[in-house]
Amino acid sequence: MSALCLAGGGEVLRVATLAFTLVWTHTIEHTAWEEDWRVEPAALVLVEARIKGTGAGMEPPDDARFDGTWWRWMPGLSVPAVTLRRAPEAGDWRLCVEGACRPIGEILPPAADPVTLKPCP
């Protein structure tokens, strides 16, 4: 089974999952943003992105569709890793697996910055 590895603060954590969601609040607009990712053997694939509003640096692309709550689109981006930067004033990233969400600071050391997500070898 594929697994997601989270690395930060000198620790590496393996999460047995084929998919996860990253959740955060935009620092300026204070608007919810979510991304659904799929874990593949050599890449993370961004399956869907969604935001609850628009504004400073968070305009949805032309192919985004509004469902009454979220602007949704399917980027189809494939990357070897995702690097998250953390700042107290921005609030923490949340990692959701099978509907259960936890702040990154509860998974890795609270001061871990940056945090890297990638498929486990």
Side-chain angles (χ1 to χ4, degrees), residues 21-37 46 48-61 69-73 75 92-96 101:
T21 300
L22 280 177
V23 178
W24 70 97
T25 301
H26 190 273
T27 56
I28 296 171
E29 297 293 336
H30 305 288
T31 300
W33 191 302
E34 298 183 357
E35 293 178 344
D36 295 332
W37 292 84
L46 180 53
E48 181 182 80
R50 55 194 169 273
I51 55 176
K52 279 197 172 179
T54 61
M58 48 184 274
E59 294 76 19
T69 303
W70 296 90
W71 284 98
R72 297 175 178 269
W73 66 98
D92 208 355
W93 297 83
R94 292 178 306 284
L95 178 72
C96 306
C101 299

Side-chain angles (χ1 to χ4, degrees), residues 2 20 37-46 77-81 118-119:
S2 293
F20 64 95
W37 292 84
R38 183 176 67 242
V39 181
E40 295 190 349
L44 299 177
V45 178
L46 180 53
L77 176 70
S78 179
V79 295
K118 63 182 183 178

Side-chain angles (χ1 to χ4, degrees), residues 9-25:
E11 294 186 23
V12 177
L13 176 70
R14 182 182 182 97
V15 179
T17 188
L18 297 173
F20 64 95
T21 300
L22 280 177
V23 178
W24 70 97
T25 301

